[in-house]
Structures are given as C-alpha cells and as structure tokens.
Amino acid sequence: MTKENILLVGSGGVGTMAAYALEYSGKASVTSVLRSDYARVVDKGFTIDSCDYGHVEGFRTTNVVNSVEKAKLFGPFGYIVVTTKNLPDITDITEVIAPVVTSDSTIVLIQNGIGIERDFFKKFPKNAVLSGVSLIQSVNRNGYVEHTTQDILKLGYFDNPSLSKELQESICRKFVGLYSNEKVDCEYDSDVKFSRWRKLVYNACLNPVCALVGVDTGRLEIFGGVDSIIRASMGEIIQIAKSDGVALPEDVIEFMIRSDDPMYFKPSMLVDVEKKNFMEIEVICGNPVRIAKKNGVEVFNLSLIYELLKIIQLKLKEEKRLITVPKVRPVPA
Amino acid sequence: MTKENILLVGSGGVGTMAAYALEYSGKASVTSVLRSDYARVVDKGFTIDSCDYGHVEGFRTTNVVNSVEKAKLFGPFGYIVVTTKNLPDITDITEVIAPVVTSDSTIVLIQNGIGIERDFFKKFPKNAVLSGVSLIQSVNRNGYVEHTTQDILKLGYFDNPSLSKELQESICRKFVGLYSNEKVDCEYDSDVKFSRWRKLVYNACLNPVCALVGVDTGRLEIFGGVDSIIRASMGEIIQIAKSDGVALPEDVIEFMIRSDDPMYFKPSMLVDVEKKNFMEIEVICGNPVRIAKKNGVEVFNLSLIYELLKIIQLKLKEEKRLITVPKVRPVPA
C-alpha cells in the first residue's frame, strides 16, 4: 500500500499529536514544517507524554524541514494539514502554504474560530478545505509535548460550491481513515459547522474575558463575571450562530460554563496574554462580530470585547516592534 | 482674627496642595492626618515643587497627626476636607471621619466621581457637604510633591434639603475665601453638579478603557479605540447626565478627547493598574451605571467596562490578601 503523502504546518501541542496519529497507523507519510523546534527535533525528536500513547522519546515525522519551500522536495501532498495558531492579523497562512498547494491538494484546517475557510477559498477556489474541530488538551514546550486529554477530533468539510458534496465527503472520510486508530476518537461530522459554533460558545466568551481581566474561569465565576458578562455573551454567540443557520440549544451555555469544573482553569487566550503571545482574536472574536453585523444581530458585549482586545493586540505588536507609533502624538490640524 | 480650624484627610498630590493653599493665606489652621508619610513629614516636612508656589522645603500643616482619633485633640473643626482617593469598596471614609464630625462641621469632598455625597448624607444628615471639582495635576511620591498644572478648584455644595440654600452657599463661599489666594483659581460654582458630570466625561471613559487595555490616551487613539469605544461611551455619560438633570453639550466629547494633546498621557486609573493600586471604579464607573439603570438609560459600553473592572479590582483584593478564594473551585451540587 502506498502511504498518503501529508504536509503538516504547525507542530504545537495539537499539530504534533495529529502528526503522531497520522504516522501511527502506518497509512500516512508526514512531512512537518518546523520553525523554533527544528534543530531540537532534527537532533533528538519530540519527547511526548501522552494520555493516549504513553511516554514517547525521539518522535519525528517521516520528513522534517524548516520551510514550506524545502517541503516541496517531498511533495506533492494529498493533504496539507494546518495546525498553526490562527492569527490572520499577524501571518497570512494562505501565503505560507501557497508554494505546495496543487490542484489535487486538500487543505485541512484543525484550528479555532469561525469563518476561517474564507481566505483559503479566496486563494484556492478549486480545492477542498476540511474543517477539524479538536477537543484535545496538548501543549508543546520546546519539543516536549504534554498531552493530557484524549485526542477527540471532529472532521467535516467547508462546503466549496465548485466541488460536489459527494466528492468533499469522500475526501474527508478518507482523511478520517488516515487519522483514526484505537486510541483517538476521530470521526466524520456531517454537521461540523454546528460543532465549530458550539466550541465558540466557550472560546469567544470565556477566553477573551479571562484574557481581559487576568483571571481563570473559576475566579471569573467567584468574582461575579460569569453572571454579569459570560451568560449574556454566550447568548450573543447563540444568536449569531442562529443567523448563520446553526441552532445551538440554550443549555450549551451551562454546559460550557461548567466544562472546567472543578478546575481553576486558564483559557489559552489568558495564557497568551501572560506570556505576551498574540491572541487568536480575529477568528474567535472578530469574525463572529462581523457575521453579526452582516446579519443584523446586535452583540454589544462581543463587539466591545473585540474592540478592547484589538487594542491589546496592537500594543503587543508595538512591543514586538512590528509596528511603531510616532514619537510625538499626532493631533488634528 | 481667629483662624478657621480645618481637618484634612488625605495628603496625596491634591490634598497636600489644598493644605498648602489653606495655610498660605494665613486664614486657616490645618490639621492633617497622614498615614504612610507621617514619619517623614514629622521629621522634615513635605518637599514641594509647585508650578504655583515654586520650590518649597519642609512644608507642614499647623498640626500633623497619624489618626483621626488623635486629630480630636486639635478640634473641633469647621471644615473637614476629604482628599483621599475615593474607594468606597475598600474603605468607608464616612467611618474614618465620624469621630470628628460635629453638628457644626462642614464636610468638603475634593474627590472624583458622581454620587459621592450619598454615603455622607446617610451618615451625617444634618451637615453641609461641599463638592470640590479639582483640575490640578499634582503627585505625591513619599513626601515629595510634584505639582505641574495650576490649582483650579470649583466649589459648590451637594444640596442637603434639611439646610437652606442660602446657608449652604454662604458656608461654601466662606471656604472659597479661605482657599483663595493670588496663585490658585478657586471659585464658587453655582452649578458644580454640571462641572462634576463634565469631568466624568473624561474620567469614566478614557480612564477605565486605558486601564483595561494598558495603553495611554495617545496610543488608544492611534490604535482605533477612541473611535471604536470612547466616543460612544462618552455619549452614554451625556445621556446619563441628562437623565440626572444635567445638559452637557455634545462638543464636550471632542474637547475631552483632545484635552491631552499632544501628550501620550496615562490616566490615573492606568497608573493604578500598573502600580497594582486600587482604582476608583465605584464612584467613576459604578455610580453612573447605577444612575443609568435607575433612570432607564441604556449604557452598554459603560456597563460592561464597569463589570470588567470590578473583576480586576477583586483580583487585586485577592493579591493583597483582603479576600481569599476556596482552595478547590466550588461547583454546583
């Protein structure tokens, strides 16, 4: 059997475990593009402590490269799996993968957020784009991956009207087959749009509010923020989803509020703020607000939260010297 | 001529310059209650660099004490001037001054915020309470006071229905006389409620938003926050003021937005956050929102901003060990 040739871009906690699953079955040959961990992984591979696979030393994908340009040597790739942090305001990932996208490539986005397929369809209008909603907890710290909750992955497709539904479904089911093994819970999701909006009920509310005020979800609740901010904000997500054709049940609010029990849990965006990393504000906050505006849904909380976070992101851009402000504050003439 | 006997509580940048003005004229004898600066001031007084009075070494009020209880030795006081930071969620200043309030005392609040008289009228229903709106820039750092813009003080009274307007006005005008000299711009303000709401247009919007996102007013504008958040929030203050009987002109919005030009200015609440000091959120944000709610004015921005800041204040309370959270996150039964 010929192995399926797969490119993986983004070896964080989620991406490395995806690479592991794809190589584990023996059905895929993965080329991974590494940046900061490249030297360490070439030298001694990833060290993984996984609730699914146990302790693993020296994990490397079939090929390891440090740029997409170099990955071309090992192409073409049937699937290009994108597991980077989703930061369109910082990096245009469509540009990053463009050199390896062919007419036969399927792009697999295992990433947070809503409306994340649009830039890909704009640039690659003939390609299938899969939608992966991951529920894994896994963190990569300089080549050491700590994977703490089962790899649960729902996969469907972002509908590309230039391709038949049958074709897109079969392309997706094939990828599910490549990813699946007895350890992971990977399944074809015929309503992945629902799953994506559902996950956003947590991510678009608890993530940004905890990031803004600097407390975990437990303290947010004890200090009154769940009652004063989160429930209403989650209600706004439900209204936007509805305007986008997705009917989320009301009880998803309580489910998400309770989903960290009994942990004082720091959502990823709070961790980002603390580590001075960029936050996924455009795909988690900005896109929902833009969909709301387009569809005439009023979302007072989510709009203001997004506007506040945009300023924090720009401040961080200035701190990282990606932008500068004039020495003297500009004033109107 | 007998000097007027005055108690001053709160010798920060504003309070120390108020004490200086009151002693300067020779018409008042000030007893000041110091906390953190007590030892230094007893030893060598305040050092002041003042745009109004020049360089001053060794300034002390007539009496210096380290508690209100000890101040009683020098009473009774005709005026009790409160120039503390206004933090009713942290310290009940009505309790602090209670030991020295007599039936003849006038309480003078030279403090930020709206609705700040209520707790005083509740506790001291027969006393006159004056309203001081200060536009001074003055900072006290461990006994060294840097005073950088002229001491402009508007004084009126919070109307106490149990006292005649004539009496309250004459009590207030007398205090203006004690405070006035050729350096300061201190005047009786027959519409001090207007001045207080007007100042809040800046303080309730630029202060908290800069504190939330961690940038000065110049960066806030460059990064888009003045357009996306501040104008609308200031509009909400105008609506609340209107519901409270105060007609602020629309152009106050542009005036306040431009009032720091051409500085990259850090409002006091941002400085508080950076120094991990408590913020005046209840009198600057909470009271306006409560007035809005009572009067049926919808203030989406100000409400959410207030709720966010409340959580940050509680987080700081926890960090300062004024409150604790349970070791294990409580979950519903």
Side-chain angles (χ1 to χ4, degrees), chain A residues 197-254:
Chain A
W197 273 110
R198 187 172 185 280
K199 189 176 178 189
L200 207 67
V201 172
Y202 185 105
N203 278 350
C205 301
L206 285 162
N207 253 305
V209 172
C210 288
L212 273 170
V213 298
V215 302
D216 56 68
T217 55
R219 282 176 172 76
L220 188 70
E221 182 169 38
I222 291 168
F223 294 164
V226 167
D227 286 338
S228 67
I229 304 169
I230 297 299
R231 272 178 235 281
S233 305
M234 288 180 168
E236 292 181 358
I237 289 289
I238 290 177
Q239 291 308 311
I240 311 173
K242 191 175 165 194
S243 80
D244 195 40
V246 172
L248 295 169
E250 279 292 327
D251 63 7
V252 72
I253 292 178
E254 281 313 300

Side-chain angles (χ1 to χ4, degrees), chain A residues 85-311:
Chain A
K85 212 165 146 185
N86 206 341
L87 301 168
D89 52 330
I90 311 294
T91 306
D92 181 353
I93 197 78
T94 69
E95 283 287 344
V96 172
I97 65 167
V100 288
V101 176
T102 69
S103 58
D104 294 328
S105 310
T106 291
I107 297 160
V108 186
L109 304 180
I110 306 179
Q111 292 184 299
N112 284 327
I114 215 81
I116 65 174
E117 73 281 15
R118 290 191 204 148
D119 293 344
F120 290 87
F121 281 143
K122 208 175 285 170
K123 197 167 190 104
F124 313 112
K126 306 285 188 186
N127 292 75
V129 179
L130 303 188
S131 173
V133 176
S134 171
L135 299 178
I136 199 172
Q137 302 262 13
S138 178
V139 180
N140 171 13
R141 294 184 189 88
N142 308 313
Y144 170 68
V145 176
E146 195 176 9
H147 166 212
T148 47
T149 70
Q150 195 197 4
D151 186 0
I152 301 173
L153 180 61
K154 293 175 187 298
L155 280 159
Y157 59 87
F158 294 110
D159 192 21
N160 182 339
S162 75
L163 302 173
S164 75
K165 291 188 191 307
E166 293 69 28
L167 177 62
Q168 293 178 90
E169 179 172 338
S170 83
I171 288 170
C172 185
R173 287 192 180 275
K174 183 177 166 192
F175 187 81
V176 170
L178 298 171
Y179 198 105
S180 294
N181 64 52
E182 76 282 7
K183 311 280 190 182
V184 304
D185 176 5
C186 177
E187 58 179 28
Y188 176 71
D189 184 346
S190 61
D191 198 2
V192 73
K193 188 177 173 185
F194 176 94
S195 302
R196 198 166 269 286
W197 273 110
R198 187 172 185 280
K199 189 176 178 189
L200 207 67
V201 172
Y202 185 105
N203 278 350
C205 301
L206 285 162
N207 253 305
V209 172
C210 288
L212 273 170
V213 298
V215 302
D216 56 68
T217 55
R219 282 176 172 76
L220 188 70
E221 182 169 38
I222 291 168
F223 294 164
V226 167
D227 286 338
S228 67
I229 304 169
I230 297 299
R231 272 178 235 281
S233 305
M234 288 180 168
E236 292 181 358
I237 289 289
I238 290 177
Q239 291 308 311
I240 311 173
K242 191 175 165 194
S243 80
D244 195 40
V246 172
L248 295 169
E250 279 292 327
D251 63 7
V252 72
I253 292 178
E254 281 313 300
F255 178 86
M256 291 299 174
I257 288 170
R258 300 265 63 88
S259 64
D260 299 327
D261 285 350
M263 277 191 294
Y264 286 104
F265 183 75
K266 290 188 177 187
S268 59
M269 224 181 248
L270 170 58
V271 176
D272 285 338
V273 164
E274 291 181 346
K275 292 189 175 174
K276 298 212 164 260
N277 290 330
F278 290 118
M279 298 174 288
E280 296 182 311
I281 63 170
E282 294 302 332
V283 296
I284 286 182
C285 304
N287 286 346
V289 167
R290 283 182 280 271
I291 293 168
K293 188 167 283 179
K294 196 188 70 177
N295 294 351
V297 180
E298 281 188 332
V299 289
F300 296 109
N301 278 14
L302 296 177
S303 296
L304 180 54
I305 288 165
Y306 171 52
E307 297 301 340
L308 290 166
L309 286 173
K310 268 205 289 194
I311 297 160

Side-chain angles (χ1 to χ4, degrees), chain A residues 219 221 264 318 326 329, chain B residues 219 221 263-264 318 326 329:
Chain A
R219 282 176 172 76
E221 182 169 38
Y264 286 104
E318 188 195 3
R329 177 179 177 180
Chain B
R219 282 176 173 76
E221 182 170 37
M263 278 191 293
Y264 287 103
E318 188 195 1
R329 176 179 177 180

Side-chain angles (χ1 to χ4, degrees), chain B residues 30 35 46 57 70 80 97 119 124 159 169 171 175-176 178-179 189 191 208 220 225 237 272 318 322 331:
Chain B
V30 178
R35 305 287 287 267
F46 284 102
E57 285 286 346
K70 286 184 185 150
I80 296 165
I97 67 167
D119 292 343
F124 312 113
D159 191 22
E169 179 171 338
I171 289 171
F175 187 80
V176 171
L178 298 171
Y179 199 105
D189 185 346
D191 197 1
L220 188 71
I237 288 289
D272 285 337
E318 188 195 1
L322 299 177
V331 301

Side-chain angles (χ1 to χ4, degrees), chain B residues 136-147:
Chain B
I136 200 173
Q137 302 262 10
S138 179
V139 180
N140 172 13
R141 294 185 189 86
N142 307 314
Y144 170 69
V145 176
E146 196 176 9
H147 166 211

Side-chain angles (χ1 to χ4, degrees), chain B residues 124-252:
Chain B
F124 312 113
K126 306 283 186 186
N127 292 74
V129 180
L130 303 187
S131 172
V133 177
S134 171
L135 300 177
I136 200 173
Q137 302 262 10
S138 179
V139 180
N140 172 13
R141 294 185 189 86
N142 307 314
Y144 170 69
V145 176
E146 196 176 9
H147 166 211
T148 49
T149 70
Q150 196 198 2
D151 186 0
I152 301 172
L153 180 61
K154 293 173 187 300
L155 279 159
Y157 59 87
F158 295 109
D159 191 22
N160 182 341
S162 75
L163 302 173
S164 75
K165 291 188 192 306
E166 294 68 29
L167 176 64
Q168 293 178 89
E169 179 171 338
S170 84
I171 289 171
C172 186
R173 286 191 182 277
K174 181 177 169 194
F175 187 80
V176 171
L178 298 171
Y179 199 105
S180 294
N181 64 52
E182 74 282 8
K183 311 281 190 182
V184 303
D185 176 4
C186 176
E187 58 180 27
Y188 176 72
D189 185 346
S190 62
D191 197 1
V192 73
K193 189 176 173 185
F194 176 94
S195 302
R196 199 166 268 286
W197 273 109
R198 186 172 185 280
K199 190 177 178 188
L200 206 67
V201 173
Y202 185 105
N203 278 350
C205 301
L206 284 161
N207 253 305
V209 172
C210 288
L212 273 172
V213 298
V215 302
D216 56 67
T217 55
R219 282 176 173 76
L220 188 71
E221 182 170 37
I222 292 169
F223 295 163
V226 168
D227 286 338
S228 67
I229 304 169
I230 297 300
R231 273 179 232 284
S233 305
M234 288 179 169
E236 292 180 358
I237 288 289
I238 290 178
Q239 291 309 310
I240 310 173
K242 192 174 165 194
S243 80
D244 195 40
V246 172
L248 294 169
E250 278 292 327
D251 62 8
V252 71

